[in-house]
C-alpha cells in the first residue's frame, strides 16, 4: 500500500529529471498561459506556492512588469535549489515554505499563483485559506489543476502499462494525486470553505504534449515524479524494466518516432 504522504516528496534525482523531462513535456504551455494571466492584472507583489523547479517562476519573470516583486516558494528545498540554479532573467526570492502555513504577513500580496500544486496539498482548504489570508483586498488566487487522467493521454498510458507490470498492486500515483483533484464542484466547495465568497471562474484548456520519442515521457513519469518511489517499492520488476514497459506502451499507441498526446487542465481564478 502506497502512502499518500510520499506523494509530496521530490528529492534525490527527481528534481533534475522533472525539470529536464517533465517540464518541457507538459508544464511549459500552461506556465506561459498562467504567467500571461498574472501579468494582465499588473500586480506589484506576487507569491507563487508549490513553485517546483520554477517553470512558472521563469515565465512570470519574463512576463511581469518591471516593478513587480516575485516570491517563489515550495515545500521541497531540492526543487527550489534546482530552480535557483537554472536561474531567472530578473531577481526572484526563492524561499522554502509550506503552503498551509505561509510565513508571510496578512494582506501582503496582490496575487497568489500555483501551477499544478494544489492537488498535492494534504489540507487544501487550509492552503486556500492561507492564500486568502496573504492576499490584499481585491487580489486573486490563480491556479491550475490537471483534468481527469483519461484526458491526459501519456499519463493514462503510463498508468495502464504499470498496471500490467504490477497487476497485484498497481502504482496509482498519477491517478490518485496529479489527476485526482479535477471536480469543479469539489474545488468550489473547498474555496468557499476557505473563505472565498465569490464564485470561482473555471476555464478548461487542452494542449499537446510532444517528445522526440516514446522513451522521453516514460522516463519523465516513471523517474521524474514520486511514481518512481512506488515502482522501486515493488518487487517483480525494477525501475528500468517498468520504464521500458511504459515506453513500449506509448510507442504502441502513438508511434515509434516522435510522439504527440493530448493534455488537459482546468484554470481556476478565485477573487478575494
Amino acid at each position: 500500500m502506497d502512502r499518500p504522504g510520499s506523494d509530496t516528496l521530490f528529492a534525490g534525482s527527481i528534481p533534475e529529471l522533472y525539470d529536464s523531462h517533465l517540464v518541457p513535456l507538459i508544464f511549459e504551455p500552461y506556465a506561459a498561459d498562467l504567467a500571461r494571466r498574472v501579468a494582465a492584472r499588473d500586480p506589484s507583489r506576487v507569491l507563487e506556492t508549490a513553485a517546483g523547479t520554477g517553470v512558472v517562476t521563469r515565465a512570470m519573470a519574463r512576463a511581469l512588469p518591471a516593478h513587480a516583486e516575485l516570491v517563489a516558494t515550495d515545500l521541497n528545498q531540492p526543487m527550489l535549489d534546482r530552480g535557483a540554479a537554472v536561474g531567472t532573467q530578473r531577481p526572484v526570492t526563492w524561499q522554502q515554505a509550506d503552503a498551509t502555513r505561509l510565513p508571510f504577513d496578512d494582506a501582503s500580496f496582490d496575487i497568489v499563483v500555483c501551477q499544478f500544486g494544489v492537488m498535492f496539498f494534504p489540507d487544501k482548504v487550509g492552503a486556500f485559506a492561507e492564500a486568502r489570508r496573504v492576499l490584499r483586498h481585491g487580489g486573486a488566487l490563480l491556479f491550475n489543476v490537471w483534468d481527469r487522467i483519461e484526458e491526459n493521454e501519456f499519463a493514462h498510458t503510463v498508468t495502464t502499462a504499470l498496471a500490467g507490470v504490477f497487476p497485484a498492486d498497481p502504482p496509482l500515483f498519477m491517478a490518485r494525486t496529479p489527476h485526482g483533484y479535477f471536480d469543479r464542484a469539489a474545488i468550489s466547495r473547498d474555496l468557499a470553505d476557505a473563505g472565498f465568497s465569490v464564485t470561482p471562474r473555471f476555464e478548461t484548456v487542452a494542449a499537446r504534449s510532444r517528445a522526440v520519442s516514446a522513451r522521453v515521457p516514460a522516463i519523465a513519469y516513471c523517474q521524474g515524479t514520486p511514481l518512481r518511489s512506488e515502482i522501486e517499492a515493488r518487487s517483480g520488476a525494477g525501475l528500468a524494466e517498468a520504464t521500458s514497459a511504459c515506453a513500449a506502451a506509448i510507442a504502441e499507441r502513438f508511434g515509434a518516432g516522435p510522439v504527440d498526446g493530448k493534455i488537459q487542465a482546468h484554470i481556476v481564478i478565485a477573487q478575494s
Side-chain angles (χ1 to χ4, degrees):
M1 173 87 57
D2 298 303
R3 293 181 297 105
S6 66
D7 291 356
T8 62
L9 183 61
F10 288 75
S13 63
I14 288 178
E16 182 176 353
L17 285 167
Y18 174 102
D19 199 47
S20 62
H21 285 65
L22 208 62
V23 163
L25 187 71
I26 61 173
F27 291 137
E28 283 182 345
Y30 291 102
D33 172 85
L34 210 53
R36 284 193 299 270
R37 295 171 189 267
V38 173
R41 292 174 171 262
D42 192 28
S44 61
R45 195 162 190 244
V46 177
L47 172 66
E48 183 182 0
T49 59
T53 57
V55 60
V56 177
T57 317
R58 293 188 288 274
M60 289 194 293
R62 292 188 295 268
L64 285 172
H67 64 81
E69 179 186 353
L70 179 55
V71 180
T73 67
D74 195 273
L75 181 65
N76 293 280
Q77 187 64 46
M79 298 289 274
L80 292 175
D81 291 342
R82 172 71 182 186
V86 173
T88 55
Q89 65 183 47
R90 63 188 288 173
V92 170
T93 300
W94 302 89
Q95 183 172 341
Q96 193 277 337
D98 183 339
T100 65
R101 293 188 298 274
L102 292 172
F104 305 108
D105 293 337
D106 294 358
S108 53
F109 293 93
D110 300 299
I111 291 178
V112 177
V113 61
C114 184
Q115 165 139 299
F116 301 123
V118 302
M119 307 90 74
F120 293 87
F121 298 158
D123 179 5
K124 295 174 179 58
V125 173
F128 290 153
E130 275 291 271
R132 181 176 175 272
R133 178 183 67 78
V134 302
L135 280 171
R136 294 166 179 154
H137 179 70
L141 167 63
L142 279 72
F143 64 95
N144 51 21
V145 294
W146 292 116
D147 202 350
R148 65 182 73 244
I149 197 167
E150 292 82 2
E151 300 290 349
N152 291 269
E153 293 178 330
F154 289 156
H156 190 220
T157 302
V158 164
T159 300
T160 302
L162 290 175
V165 176
F166 304 102
D169 187 16
L172 297 175
F173 165 74
M174 296 307 303
R176 179 180 64 247
T177 302
H179 298 279
Y181 191 59
F182 55 83
D183 183 79
R184 294 184 179 204
I187 295 169
S188 296
R189 283 195 302 271
D190 286 347
L191 286 165
D193 289 346
F196 285 92
S197 58
V198 179
T199 301
R201 291 192 286 121
F202 289 83
E203 184 179 342
T204 301
V205 177
R208 305 303 300 179
S209 180
R210 299 182 176 92
V212 297
S213 73
R215 187 154 183 82
V216 171
I219 292 173
Y221 285 107
C222 292
Q223 300 183 25
T225 75
L227 181 58
R228 177 182 189 135
S229 299
E230 290 193 6
I231 294 170
E232 291 178 329
R234 285 161 170 75
S235 59
L239 181 63
E241 184 180 345
T243 303
S244 294
C246 291
I250 293 169
E252 181 178 358
R253 181 174 177 183
F254 299 97
V259 291
D260 184 326
K262 177 188 176 184
I263 48 178
Q264 186 162 292
H266 301 310
I267 289 80
V268 188
I269 303 172
Q271 201 74 29
S272 68

